[in-house]
Structures are given as structure tokens and as C-alpha cells.
Amino acid sequence: MASLKNIVRINPNKIEIKLNGPPGTDHFIADNILHFSKKLKKEEPYNCTEKVYPLKIILTPKSNNPHLDLNTNESYTLEIIYEDDTITASINAYSIFGIRHGLETLFQLIIPYEDGNQKCIATLSYVYISDKPVYKHRGLLLDTGRNFLSVDTIKRHLDGMAASKLNVLHWHITDSQSFPLEVGRLPNMTKYGAYSEKHIYSESAIKDLLQYANRRGVRILPEIDAPSHAGNGWQWGEEAGLGNLAVCINRQPWRSFCIQPPCGQLNPTNQNLYSVLKDLYSHMRDHFPDTGMFHMGGDEVFIPCWNSTQEIIDYLRGKPLTTETFLDLWGEFQRKALAAYDRAFEHEDTSIVVWTSHITQPEVIRKYLSNERYIIQTWVPESNINLITELLKLEYRVIISTKDKWYLDHGFWGSTLYYNWKTVYENKMYKYNHEGILGGEVCMWGELVDDNNIDSRVWPRAAAAAERLWSNPRSTAEFAQYRFFAQRKRLVDLGIHAEALTPKWCVDSQGECKTYL
Amino acid sequence: MASLKNIVRINPNKIEIKLNGPPGTDHFIADNILHFSKKLKKEEPYNCTEKVYPLKIILTPKSNNPHLDLNTNESYTLEIIYEDDTITASINAYSIFGIRHGLETLFQLIIPYEDGNQKCIATLSYVYISDKPVYKHRGLLLDTGRNFLSVDTIKRHLDGMAASKLNVLHWHITDSQSFPLEVGRLPNMTKYGAYSEKHIYSESAIKDLLQYANRRGVRILPEIDAPSHAGNGWQWGEEAGLGNLAVCINRQPWRSFCIQPPCGQLNPTNQNLYSVLKDLYSHMRDHFPDTGMFHMGGDEVFIPCWNSTQEIIDYLRGKPLTTETFLDLWGEFQRKALAAYDRAFEHEDTSIVVWTSHITQPEVIRKYLSNERYIIQTWVPESNINLITELLKLEYRVIISTKDKWYLDHGFWGSTLYYNWKTVYENKMYKYNHEGILGGEVCMWGELVDDNNIDSRVWPRAAAAAERLWSNPRSTAEFAQYRFFAQRKRLVDLGIHAEALTPKWCVDSQGECKTYL
């Protein structure tokens, strides 16, 4: 803030909000105003004796549509004008979600302004911003299958996402370790699959969480990973007279039957499995908003599991036990799982996301997955850009999660490396823009995090990915550094235990720590 | 807990403590009993309907000496006997600190015991343990020079240290970035050196912290790093008519004058510096207990800083500006700083710890540092065992901080790697025991941590180092795994945001995740 003349001090006790829009947006707007006010109060104690001015905020959404999906218009304009001793901030947007983004930007433009011992808050005397995201799908993956995360922890992440304009929480709910999602129709899923009664997302908790996410402008993309990464929770088939719904569950030695303990893989040869999947998908239909998108996982099928299961070998009726045979079996599973989904939802146009795997290789993908129905989430390293190019050529839509930049669990196991915020920021996404690229996600796999340590693994790095996805700037992380330090402070003020990025001296002494860290 | 017959259930409402010892230990013991009881209450809700038995704890210290130093006898015996419907736990020790260790072990032996829906706590019906540490100096370094840590954060670490039987908090108080220690005699140190008024350790905070540490069985080893790693806080010499106490302060471009911004190095040629140091050391004498040990830092002197300062070149009166000349100057600083220390303390037998550096190289060390006065803290990689051997041959005492195993800041900057708990655990310390090895320290350098994220960087890894230092077992981390998972839970129960080590499934399913993570 070089020039005083461009700065106006705000009277935080005189903030007036006016809502100009169609009916039905009051709850959404009221909740966001409350959130905005709470954040503003986190700023330094206010003891400003200089002249301060009232701030009037005028919010004008065009639509009252409360549903978020891939095509929600998130653009907004923000104009700040100081005249006649009043500061007026006008936010115009098509959707209420655009309005929310505008409020977030306004909050970022209100900063502490110290003058001797006085602490004021101030903003610029004139601003005009017309803003919209480069990518529609800007996500963070949280994994509650490996380790449970409390609803409070998930909400804290939703706050961080909102502050960073991320709009998709990809929720990898279940895995072979546990099945924490309460499913009324299928109570055995948590009876067998939850770590304990305390480690369950009840239907009421889900309802609360979904509303909270919506208010923060975040759509939840649930993932029920299948046919691999499924084990605990699926043990009750025999007992219920349905046969084995899954095989290799908790089988040892685990290295022979899966890539990570405990083992488990759904049994594609058991036709009852598809009825159970339909029940599960019906539950998703009833308890999650239909955003037109669902994640079926579909990664890391471990052939030696199926290949060592007599029931599955019998089903294959003497076919050669080759990779191709098992890929066909997997394809059959995927076809039947999709049919179960479509029956549950009673429409056939949900976009199904799956991870890149053997079955999504360009040579075979068309045999198994329609490019109209499937979105491919790529997790290949940045160097393997060819795969993305091939998938785009085949007219698949893709979501990019560059493994060697955006996998937030790396650095703590095997020979993986930690990616600091600058590396995360400088992930190229792709060499050129292509409308088939819906966006990207940073992924916080859950093996080595729980409520105690997840915050600092995710934050502020996810905010670096957020800027990449929102504006995809040509400039470097070094250029964004001071803005990023400020964003880290905002996250800490939200109660997020975000990682420290540098000694405080470097935060306070802008420009004095060039090329350091 | 395989066999029920060896287990006795405890009535947590009937725990009686008897203190059998010399007078003067009541406060220490009472505080530790309170801490013990609080920790016990953190266990699962108690709804035991089985027969439970009272627990009588008899504490018998021989000495009432409240001072901790390198030679404190920390040994203890613990005997648990179940007879006549009472459980009696007797802890005998020479010192009250040994008693404290015994209580810690007793706490570890009281574990939740679930039987159907019942939750009880239980212990073994007979135990006899005679225990003492392999190494006398078992430390954790915290750094409050780069980023400030609140007193609460330091206390949380003291709790974790106590739970792990670490006994030295090496407090790297100051660095070139900031000087947060209030020094009544030298108010300019914090006036110029603290990040803000909120980022100061006041004399009363220090007093509180020191008592808290003592009660947790932890000795504080303060470090005032010099002559390098000193800058902010030392700017006031000219103004006070004392000349430049330090040079190169905040000088740019920083890469030319230091290894990390901001630059700064004490001015060894200014004789007033030594008076100021004497005042500083007098403050240490008055406000810290005299444990017979002090850390003077002494690492990473950056010759181009002194070599580009006219005042220093003038002082060298035409000597060739070679490394040797500057080493001699550094040696002169060290000799005069030690003299200032001895004058302040009025005795000449404090052991001074310094980091390995140019000046501690075996070829030159005897020229500059007496092996009677100096302890060398080695931070060379495990492969550089020769240096340790050489220093031991020269009859220096050493403290080992193996950089590529025990530097807890690694993995997040440059090409450093993260060391998981197994790597920390398996640090060899040294190929053979040698009485010159006092022990070791894990080091949490502060550039990338503050109150928000330090817990999970330190814990539970520091507990892995603690076992290495306490018992130096021949067995592997894999063998210690389940015991370590339990220790991690104890740390979490203390309010420490310790890192998750594995999926909860692997914690709950002992032995099922062999060789994983």
C-alpha cells in the first residue's frame, strides 16, 4: 500500500448489506454474510481513531438456483467506489455462487492498515474486477477410507476451499480398510466396515455436511471405489444368502493379493453384487444432491486376487487366464455397475469419473468405457502428458491430478518426494487449454493423516493449486509469494493449522528473501 | 493381552498414593500425580462392572534434590504386586526424576481392557522393572529464532518429552531473524529483535516454563547462537555509543553475506561486544538454573561477511585474508565470549556446547577449543562417523544429531528427504558405546514450522529417537511398531497433534500390515 490517497479506512461497525435479487437466496446469502463478518473480526484488534467510512455491500445475483454442478456460472464482477463519504462494494453475478466468490475477493481486499499504534482496516478507493474461473472443476480429494476424518475436520477444509475458490470436494469415502458411510438400506456396510460406532457418517451428519458445503460454494463429488479398494464392509454376503460380494478380504500374505493391506476386491461374478450396488447407488440418489457426476474409482484392480479365487476361475469357464480375460471381466463389472447406477437414478446421463488404470489405456478404453458417459481422472506424472493427449483425442473429458505435483500424501512414504507450495503452484496442468480438460484436483490420500495432522498437509498447498485452477497464471510462484503468505494467514485465521512457509521475518520483510525457500 | 489370569482390573476411583521420602519433594510429586491422573482420565469412558481392585502407588525417592543436570541419576525400579485384593505399585528411585520416569512406565502399563461392551482399565498382576537410560543427554531442539513458538506450544512439547522420557529441551532461542528473549539488562535486544510485543518470552513466562520443564523431568539447555546466526536484536550498538555489535545485518544480496536471510554476524573486533555478552550471560545466570551446561551455537560462520566489512579488515592489520586468519578471529571471539561467560557465572567449569563447524575440525579444534570445556554437538550425516571417532579420540565429549536421520525439518526444502519414524528409530547413534558420547538430540529447525504445524513434524518421531536414546535396542522399528502406535495415541491424548503413522486398520489389526509403511 504505497499511496495513501488510494486507500480508504473502513468503519467495521458500519457495514450494511443489501441484497438485490430474486427471492429464495436469503438463507444462502445470510450464511455467507455471517461467515464474511466472522472472518473480518479475526483481523487485528481495531483501535482506529482516523476518520473511517461506512461500507455498503450490494449483492445482485440474477438467479436463485441453489444447485451447484459442473456448469454453474461462477463469474462475478466487483466494483468498489468511494464517494460521498461512503464506500460501496457492488457484487454482480449470475449465480449465488458467483456472489459468494465476489464476497471472498472483497474480503481479500479489506486489509489491516497500521499507522503508528493505530490499527485500522482499509480498502482501495476504487476497484473494478470482472472475474471467472479458467477451469470448471477445481477440486480437493479427501480420503476417509484409510483414516476417518471428523465432520468438523471436513468442514474446516470446506472453509479453506471456499477461501481459495475451490469448488469440488472429491470425497473418497470408502476403501478396503473401512466403510464409514451409513447406508440405511444396507446396515451391514458399516456394521462390518466402520472402524467403530464413532467412525460413521450418519445420514444426519451427511445432510449437515452437504448443506455446509453448498453454502461454501463447494459441490461434493462422492466416490465409492470399486471393484478394487473395497473389502471391509463387504463381508456379509454369505451370511445374508447372497454369496461372496467381495473376495480376498483381509487375505494374507497381503503382498500377493493387493497393493496395500488389507486386501479386498468386489466379486464381479456374483450377480447379487449388482443388486447391492443398486441399493447403494439408490442411497446416494436419496442422500446426496444429483450433480450429474459420480466417482466410481476403478483403479488398481489387482489381478492375482481374482486369479486366485476359485469362484472367479470357474466363472471364466476355461478362458485363458490372461490379462485380457481379466480386463474383460473388469469391463463386465463396470458395465453392470453402470447399469445398476442408471437403474437407481432412473436416468442415463450421469457423468461417471474413473481413475486412469489398465482399463483406461488409450488402446483399450473405447472397448470398455463410453466417452459420453465417462470422465477420466488422470494421476500420471507430469512427464506422461501423452496419455492426456491421447484421451483428449479419443474425446474423453479429463480431470488432472498430476501425481508428482498434486499428490499431497507424497514425501512421507517409499521414495516419494514432498512437493512444496511452489511446486504445486507451478504444475502446468497441460501444455495448452483444451475444452476436454474440466479441471484438476489435489489429492490428500489418507494413509498418513487423520484429524490430528491433515490440516498442514493440505494447507496452504491446496490454495496454490486453487490459483492455478482459477486463473492459470503465466507468472511464477515467486511472483505470487507475498499474496500467498497473506492467504496462508487467512487460512490460519479460519482455524486451519496450515503449514508455515518461511520464517516470519521473510513474511514481514517483503522482497528481502528472494529465491529463498 | 493373551492370558486373562495375568491381568487385574483397576478401580480408577480408588487410586491411593503414598510418598515415602525425604521432605521437600511434595510439590514435585503432587504435580506429577496430578499429571498422571489427568492422563488416566483420557482413557476410554469407564463402565466396568467386573470386579475391580484398588491401586496403591508407593513412591520412594532417596534424594530430594530438585535440580536436574547431566549427572542426575534417572534410574528407577517399578514393582507391581497383586495380592489381598489390592494392587500395589512401588516405585523406588534415587532422584525424584527417577520416580517420575517410574510413574510414566506405570501409566504405560495401565491399559484399556475391553470385554464385550464393558470398558475397564487393567494392568499386569505382577511386574518387576529395573530401568535406567543408556544415554544421559536425550534431547529435542526447538528453534524460536526463525518463527516464534508460544509458551503453550513449548509446554505441549515438554509433555510429549516427559511421556517419552526425553530429558533435555535444547532451546535455540535466537537467530538472525529474531531475538525473542526479554533481557532486563539489555532491553534493546527485544526492542530491535522481537517480531512484535506479542513475540517475546518475558521473564515471568521463562520462570513458568522452567518450572514446568523441571516438573516434567526436562532440563532446558539454552542456546544463544554466536557469532553467526545473530543479527536482528543487535542493531543498537552505534546508537548506544558502543559501535557495531554486529555486522552485515539484513544486508543484501543476502546470498553474498550469509547462508539464509536475513544476514548478520557478531562483530568480534568490537571489545564492547564482550561486555554486552557478559550482560547477556549474567541474565542467563539469573533467570535460568545453572545446569553446568550452556550452548553457544558457533556454527556456519560465513567468512564473506567479515571479509567484506572494513572495520574487521582494519582490525586484522594487513594479515592475509585467508580462511586461517578468519578462523583465528573466530577463535578469538570464542575465547573472549567464554571469558565473558565465566566472569558472569563466577566459575570456570560450565560445559559449553558448540555445533560442528570449520572450527571443530579435528585438525584445528585443539587450537581453539579445550576438550575440558567444550562438548561438540555433531550434525554430520551417519556416513561421516569418522568425525565422531576423531573427536572422541581427541577426548571431546559429543552429542549426536545425525543430520540425515534426526533433522526433523528435512523433507520440506531443497533436496532434503523426510525421515519417517522407522528411520529415526533406526539411527545407529554410533557403532559402539563410548563414554564420551553423552547422548543425542532430534532437531526441529524452525524455518517451516510455527504453532500451527510443529506438533506433527516433531511427534511422534521424537518418541522414536527417545527410545533409541533411552534403551538403544538392538531390535528394529518393525518390532517396536505396535508399542509405537500406542505411544502415538498417548501423545494425541496429551493434546499433541501427532502425525498419523498408518491406516487405523493397521493399528487395530496387529501383525496384519507387516512390511507396510
Side-chain angles (χ1 to χ4, degrees), chain B residues 134-156:
Chain B
V134 170
Y135 293 106
K136 303 193 244 194
H137 187 104
R138 305 181 308 281
L140 164 65
L141 177 146
L142 294 182
D143 166 9
T144 57
R146 273 61 176 243
N147 280 308
F148 188 80
L149 299 173
S150 70
V151 169
D152 279 351
T153 291
I154 299 176
K155 285 185 176 176
R156 216 162 53 241

Short mmCIF file of all heavy atoms in Angstrom, two decimals, chain B residues 134-156:
data_model
loop_
_atom_site.label_atom_id
_atom_site.label_comp_id
_atom_site.label_asym_id
_atom_site.label_seq_id
_atom_site.Cartn_x
_atom_site.Cartn_y
_atom_site.Cartn_z
N VAL B 134 20.34 -45.49 28.74
CA VAL B 134 21.68 -45.72 28.18
C VAL B 134 22.43 -44.39 28.07
O VAL B 134 23.61 -44.31 28.39
CB VAL B 134 21.57 -46.41 26.80
CG1 VAL B 134 22.93 -46.44 26.10
CG2 VAL B 134 21.00 -47.82 26.95
N TYR B 135 21.74 -43.36 27.60
CA TYR B 135 22.40 -42.05 27.41
C TYR B 135 21.85 -41.01 28.39
O TYR B 135 20.65 -40.95 28.65
CB TYR B 135 22.21 -41.55 25.97
CG TYR B 135 22.94 -42.41 24.97
CD1 TYR B 135 22.25 -43.28 24.14
CD2 TYR B 135 24.33 -42.35 24.87
CE1 TYR B 135 22.92 -44.08 23.23
CE2 TYR B 135 25.02 -43.14 23.96
CZ TYR B 135 24.31 -44.00 23.14
OH TYR B 135 24.98 -44.78 22.24
N LYS B 136 22.76 -40.19 28.88
CA LYS B 136 22.39 -39.17 29.85
C LYS B 136 21.70 -37.97 29.22
O LYS B 136 20.96 -37.25 29.88
CB LYS B 136 23.66 -38.60 30.52
CG LYS B 136 24.54 -39.60 31.19
CD LYS B 136 25.55 -38.87 32.06
CE LYS B 136 26.97 -39.08 31.59
NZ LYS B 136 27.96 -38.66 32.61
N HIS B 137 22.05 -37.69 27.96
CA HIS B 137 21.57 -36.48 27.30
C HIS B 137 20.62 -36.90 26.18
O HIS B 137 21.05 -37.40 25.14
CB HIS B 137 22.77 -35.70 26.75
CG HIS B 137 22.43 -34.35 26.18
ND1 HIS B 137 22.68 -33.17 26.84
CD2 HIS B 137 21.84 -33.99 25.01
CE1 HIS B 137 22.28 -32.15 26.11
NE2 HIS B 137 21.76 -32.62 24.98
N ARG B 138 19.33 -36.72 26.41
CA ARG B 138 18.32 -37.18 25.44
C ARG B 138 17.44 -35.99 25.08
O ARG B 138 16.52 -35.63 25.81
CB ARG B 138 17.49 -38.32 26.06
CG ARG B 138 18.37 -39.49 26.57
CD ARG B 138 17.56 -40.63 27.15
NE ARG B 138 16.62 -40.19 28.16
CZ ARG B 138 16.94 -39.91 29.43
NH1 ARG B 138 18.20 -40.04 29.86
NH2 ARG B 138 16.01 -39.50 30.27
N GLY B 139 17.75 -35.40 23.93
CA GLY B 139 17.21 -34.07 23.70
C GLY B 139 16.34 -33.89 22.47
O GLY B 139 16.36 -34.66 21.52
N LEU B 140 15.59 -32.80 22.56
CA LEU B 140 14.83 -32.28 21.43
C LEU B 140 15.20 -30.82 21.29
O LEU B 140 15.19 -30.09 22.29
CB LEU B 140 13.32 -32.40 21.70
CG LEU B 140 12.39 -31.57 20.79
CD1 LEU B 140 12.47 -32.06 19.34
CD2 LEU B 140 10.95 -31.63 21.30
N LEU B 141 15.58 -30.39 20.08
CA LEU B 141 15.85 -28.98 19.84
C LEU B 141 14.60 -28.31 19.29
O LEU B 141 14.01 -28.78 18.32
CB LEU B 141 17.00 -28.81 18.84
CG LEU B 141 17.32 -27.35 18.44
CD1 LEU B 141 18.83 -27.19 18.20
CD2 LEU B 141 16.57 -26.88 17.21
N LEU B 142 14.21 -27.21 19.93
CA LEU B 142 13.19 -26.34 19.37
C LEU B 142 13.84 -24.99 19.07
O LEU B 142 14.71 -24.54 19.81
CB LEU B 142 12.02 -26.14 20.35
CG LEU B 142 11.16 -27.36 20.67
CD1 LEU B 142 10.03 -26.96 21.63
CD2 LEU B 142 10.58 -28.01 19.43
N ASP B 143 13.39 -24.38 18.00
CA ASP B 143 14.00 -23.16 17.47
C ASP B 143 12.96 -22.05 17.48
O ASP B 143 11.96 -22.12 16.76
CB ASP B 143 14.47 -23.49 16.04
CG ASP B 143 14.83 -22.28 15.20
OD1 ASP B 143 14.91 -21.16 15.73
OD2 ASP B 143 15.05 -22.47 13.98
N THR B 144 13.18 -21.04 18.29
CA THR B 144 12.22 -19.93 18.34
C THR B 144 12.80 -18.66 17.73
O THR B 144 12.23 -17.58 17.88
CB THR B 144 11.78 -19.65 19.79
OG1 THR B 144 12.95 -19.36 20.57
CG2 THR B 144 11.05 -20.84 20.38
N GLY B 145 13.92 -18.80 17.02
CA GLY B 145 14.52 -17.66 16.35
C GLY B 145 13.89 -17.40 15.00
O GLY B 145 13.64 -16.27 14.62
N ARG B 146 13.63 -18.47 14.26
CA ARG B 146 13.05 -18.32 12.91
C ARG B 146 11.57 -17.97 13.02
O ARG B 146 11.08 -17.04 12.41
CB ARG B 146 13.22 -19.60 12.09
CG ARG B 146 14.53 -19.71 11.32
CD ARG B 146 15.74 -19.69 12.22
NE ARG B 146 16.99 -19.89 11.51
CZ ARG B 146 17.80 -20.94 11.71
NH1 ARG B 146 17.49 -21.87 12.61
NH2 ARG B 146 18.92 -21.04 11.04
N ASN B 147 10.83 -18.79 13.73
CA ASN B 147 9.43 -18.50 14.00
C ASN B 147 9.19 -18.64 15.49
O ASN B 147 9.70 -19.56 16.12
CB ASN B 147 8.52 -19.46 13.21
CG ASN B 147 8.37 -19.04 11.76
OD1 ASN B 147 8.02 -17.89 11.47
ND2 ASN B 147 8.64 -19.96 10.84
N PHE B 148 8.41 -17.73 16.02
CA PHE B 148 8.10 -17.75 17.44
C PHE B 148 7.22 -18.96 17.76
O PHE B 148 6.39 -19.36 16.97
CB PHE B 148 7.35 -16.46 17.79
CG PHE B 148 7.12 -16.26 19.26
CD1 PHE B 148 8.13 -15.76 20.07
CD2 PHE B 148 5.89 -16.54 19.84
CE1 PHE B 148 7.92 -15.54 21.43
CE2 PHE B 148 5.67 -16.34 21.20
CZ PHE B 148 6.70 -15.84 21.99
N LEU B 149 7.44 -19.55 18.93
CA LEU B 149 6.54 -20.60 19.43
C LEU B 149 5.94 -20.11 20.73
O LEU B 149 6.66 -19.59 21.60
CB LEU B 149 7.32 -21.90 19.67
CG LEU B 149 7.98 -22.52 18.44
CD1 LEU B 149 8.85 -23.72 18.86
CD2 LEU B 149 6.94 -22.96 17.41
N SER B 150 4.65 -20.29 20.90
CA SER B 150 4.01 -19.84 22.13
C SER B 150 4.46 -20.70 23.30
O SER B 150 4.92 -21.84 23.12
CB SER B 150 2.49 -19.91 21.99
OG SER B 150 2.09 -21.26 21.97
N VAL B 151 4.32 -20.17 24.49
CA VAL B 151 4.64 -20.92 25.70
C VAL B 151 3.79 -22.20 25.75
O VAL B 151 4.28 -23.27 26.12
CB VAL B 151 4.45 -20.04 26.96
CG1 VAL B 151 4.51 -20.86 28.23
CG2 VAL B 151 5.53 -18.94 26.98
N ASP B 152 2.53 -22.10 25.36
CA ASP B 152 1.68 -23.30 25.34
C ASP B 152 2.24 -24.38 24.42
O ASP B 152 2.19 -25.56 24.75
CB ASP B 152 0.26 -22.95 24.86
CG ASP B 152 -0.57 -22.36 25.99
OD1 ASP B 152 -0.11 -22.39 27.15
OD2 ASP B 152 -1.68 -21.86 25.70
N THR B 153 2.72 -23.98 23.28
CA THR B 153 3.31 -24.95 22.35
C THR B 153 4.54 -25.61 22.98
O THR B 153 4.70 -26.83 22.92
CB THR B 153 3.69 -24.27 21.01
OG1 THR B 153 2.47 -23.91 20.35
CG2 THR B 153 4.49 -25.20 20.10
N ILE B 154 5.38 -24.81 23.61
CA ILE B 154 6.58 -25.38 24.24
C ILE B 154 6.18 -26.34 25.35
O ILE B 154 6.72 -27.44 25.48
CB ILE B 154 7.53 -24.27 24.73
CG1 ILE B 154 7.98 -23.40 23.54
CG2 ILE B 154 8.76 -24.87 25.42
CD1 ILE B 154 8.84 -22.21 23.92
N LYS B 155 5.18 -25.96 26.13
CA LYS B 155 4.71 -26.86 27.20
C LYS B 155 4.17 -28.17 26.64
O LYS B 155 4.38 -29.24 27.21
CB LYS B 155 3.63 -26.17 28.04
CG LYS B 155 4.17 -25.11 28.98
CD LYS B 155 3.04 -24.55 29.85
CE LYS B 155 3.57 -23.57 30.88
NZ LYS B 155 2.46 -22.96 31.65
N ARG B 156 3.43 -28.07 25.53
CA ARG B 156 2.90 -29.28 24.90
C ARG B 156 4.06 -30.21 24.52
O ARG B 156 3.97 -31.42 24.67
CB ARG B 156 2.10 -28.88 23.66
CG ARG B 156 0.89 -29.71 23.40
CD ARG B 156 -0.08 -29.01 22.46
NE ARG B 156 0.50 -28.55 21.24
CZ ARG B 156 0.55 -27.27 20.84
NH1 ARG B 156 0.02 -26.32 21.57
NH2 ARG B 156 1.11 -26.95 19.69
#
